C-alpha cells in the first residue's frame, strides 16, 4: 500500500528555479529532505502530505496530526525512525 505521510516544513533549503525547491520536513521529530515542487504555495510552518519524498498537498495542522496518529496506530511510520542497532 502506498501512503502519504503528514509532516511540518521546518525550512526551505534550496530553490533551483521558480518551480523546483526542496525543504526539511519534520515527521514527529524525524527530519527528512523533501521535494516541494508540487506545492509552490507551501511555506515554513505549513503541514504537507508527503509521498515517496515529494510533498503532494498542503493540509491544516489538525488534519496532519490526526492522520499521523492513525498511521502510528497502524504501525505505518516505523520506517521514519532511525535505526536502533
Amino acid at each position: 500500500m502506498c501512503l502519504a505521510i503528514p509532516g511540518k516544513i521546518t525550512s526551505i533549503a534550496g530553490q533551483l528555479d521558480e518551480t523546483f525547491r526542496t525543504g526539511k520536513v519534520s515527521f514527529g521529530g524525524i527530519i527528512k529532505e523533501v521535494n516541494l515542487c508540487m506545492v509552490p504555495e507551501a511555506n515554513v510552518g505549513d503541514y504537507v502530505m508527503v509521498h515517496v519524498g515529494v510533498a503532494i498537498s498542503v493540509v491544516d495542522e489538525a488534519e496532519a496530526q490526526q492522520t499521523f496518529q492513525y498511521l502510528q496506530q497502524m504501525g505505518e511510520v516505523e520506517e521514519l525512525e532511525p535505526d536502533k542497532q
Side-chain angles (χ1 to χ4, degrees), residues 4 8 10 13-15 17 29 40 48 52 57 60 63 73 79 82-83:
K8 183 177 183 178
T10 59
Q15 184 160 349
D17 58 30
V48 290
V52 292
S57 66
D60 66 44
E63 180 181 350
Q73 290 171 359
E79 67 187 44
D83 292 333

Side-chain angles (χ1 to χ4, degrees), residues 7 10 14-15 26 30 33 39 43-44 47 66 70 85:
T10 59
Q15 184 160 349
S26 174
I30 305 298
E33 185 82 21
V39 288
N43 295 303
V44 172
Y47 286 82
Q66 185 175 33
Y70 290 148
Q85 298 178 353

